[in-house]
Amino acid sequence: MTVVDDLQPKLVEAVRHHEAGEFEQARDLYVEILNVDPQHERALHLAGLLCLQCGEYEGAKGLLSAAADIDPANAAYPNHIGTADLKLGDLPTADRWFDKALELDAEYVEALFNKALTLRGMDDLPGAAACLDRAINADPMASEVLVWRGVVGREMGEGPDAASFLVRAVEVNPDNTNALYQLGESFVDLGELDQAEQCFRAAVDRAPNITAFRGKLASCLGQLGKVDEAVKEFETALSTNPDDPALLGGLAWLKAGAGELTEAREAASRSIEVDPQSIDGHFALAKIHDMTGEADLAEEARSKVRELAPDNARYLSEL
């Protein structure tokens, strides 16, 4: 029996622990394998992926680089090394690794996706969109790639075209809550609030504990004039996450509109206390100060909103 044959059962056991989320047991077995055979390519690769999952990015790079030295034609290795650099915030280096992976496999969807996220982080939205388009051409059923193409499209002001990518993402996977959420946001951009409500409700139905989804549903209901429903959704979300500044600010805005100024002021002030950059908190305070005749404070709050959200049509139109 060769060394490789002798280590195979241990590798199988390590993978079983790894897939079950039993990372410490998997790590111990990978170490045992590498102590016997430091050039065990599969163990190096899997141990590197485990380090990535555990946030040990420098360790991941070392293990994956060793695997790449053994098989330099494997595009997965530079892709995963690039992922580690992306997590570390070294975007230019990450971009070079993704380019290396794509030199080895030009239709490697994961590398195209990762490069797109990297370029977006470097404020190159057209480059990100081009990478995502290549990924979609390689795999038209990649739901998360379609989602991000829609997100980048929204950021580029593509309007209905951006929404079309998100519609496709939902068609591919109707349970993709991120796709539903982003499609709802896109419909808000387009002024299609009834359709936005449907998307946010679907996201909440599938993930009721994610307060961001419920908060967006509440905000949409408020814009539709369904104030009682909106307040209920905000309060439900705040029962789970009582210090969320966006939820507090949104509730404050509705309370102000209902004339409940004391509760509105408390919620808005708490929003800004938690996050001094809370757009929703300052937005609500501007309305509250207007209603109470505090003109100087209202203008101060409006100026802060303009500073924090200079391109947000919804906020600016309400000021």
Side-chain angles (χ1 to χ4, degrees), residues 19-317:
E19 292 177 344
E22 298 164 350
F23 292 163
E24 288 188 15
Q25 295 94 320
R27 182 195 305 271
D28 290 344
L29 288 165
Y30 291 141
V31 169
E32 288 182 28
I33 293 168
L34 292 170
N35 283 338
V36 174
D37 180 6
Q39 299 298 303
H40 196 295
E41 182 184 346
R42 179 85 170 137
L44 287 166
H45 185 196
L46 292 171
L49 293 181
L50 180 59
C51 286
L52 270 180
Q53 288 175 273
C54 295
E56 299 169 5
Y57 303 125
E58 292 294 349
K61 289 168 61 178
L63 290 160
L64 293 163
S65 294
D69 288 341
I70 297 168
D71 183 7
N74 190 328
Y77 300 148
N79 177 59
H80 294 318
I81 296 168
T83 301
D85 279 317
L86 178 58
K87 296 289 187 181
L88 287 166
D90 187 350
L91 303 188
T93 301
D95 189 46
R96 289 193 291 272
W97 280 113
F98 297 135
D99 282 342
K100 176 64 175 176
L102 292 167
E103 287 172 9
L104 297 169
D105 182 353
E107 295 189 343
Y108 189 177
V109 172
E110 185 178 331
L112 286 165
F113 179 67
N114 287 333
K115 181 175 174 64
L117 295 184
T118 303
L119 292 174
R120 177 176 178 266
M122 298 166 69
D123 296 323
D124 182 0
L125 293 179
C131 284
L132 291 166
D133 287 338
R134 286 175 59 191
I136 292 166
N137 286 336
D139 182 3
M141 303 298 284
S143 179
E144 205 58 28
V145 176
L146 288 164
V147 170
W148 277 97
R149 182 60 181 86
V151 170
V152 170
R154 285 184 60 220
E155 293 171 342
M156 294 173 65
E158 291 180 345
D161 289 339
S164 70
F165 287 106
L166 295 161
V167 169
R168 288 170 60 187
V170 173
E171 289 172 347
V172 170
N173 181 5
D175 292 323
N176 185 330
T177 54
N178 188 33
L180 289 164
Y181 173 78
Q182 294 292 344
L183 181 56
E185 290 275 54
S186 187
F187 281 135
V188 170
D189 292 344
L190 297 171
E192 302 287 348
L193 295 179
D194 290 326
Q195 294 187 71
E197 178 190 349
Q198 293 178 32
C199 292
F200 293 137
R201 284 195 184 281
V204 169
D205 287 344
R206 289 160 174 77
N209 294 324
I210 297 182
T211 57
F213 295 168
R214 196 175 294 277
K216 284 297 181 179
L217 172 59
S219 177
C220 183
L221 290 168
Q223 291 177 71
L224 285 165
K226 301 177 182 181
V227 176
D228 290 342
E229 289 182 69
V231 169
K232 181 180 177 181
E233 293 295 347
F234 272 128
E235 290 178 341
T236 299
L238 283 164
S239 69
T240 301
N241 190 1
D243 289 328
D244 185 295
L247 296 175
L248 288 163
L251 180 61
W253 175 264
L254 290 177
K255 290 286 188 180
E260 300 174 25
L261 296 183
T262 299
E263 292 183 29
R265 192 185 294 270
E266 288 175 356
S269 297
R270 179 58 183 157
S271 174
I272 295 168
E273 180 184 343
V274 173
D275 177 11
Q277 305 302 309
S278 170
I279 300 171
D280 296 279
H282 290 288
F283 186 53
L285 269 186
K287 182 172 186 175
I288 294 163
H289 291 316
D290 269 336
M291 295 178 71
T292 56
E294 300 168 287
D296 290 344
L297 291 175
E299 182 54 36
E300 182 180 328
R302 282 193 289 270
S303 295
K304 190 65 175 180
V305 173
R306 295 188 190 101
E307 173 191 329
L308 295 171
D311 300 318
N312 190 302
R314 184 218 160 188
Y315 290 123
L316 298 180
S317 67

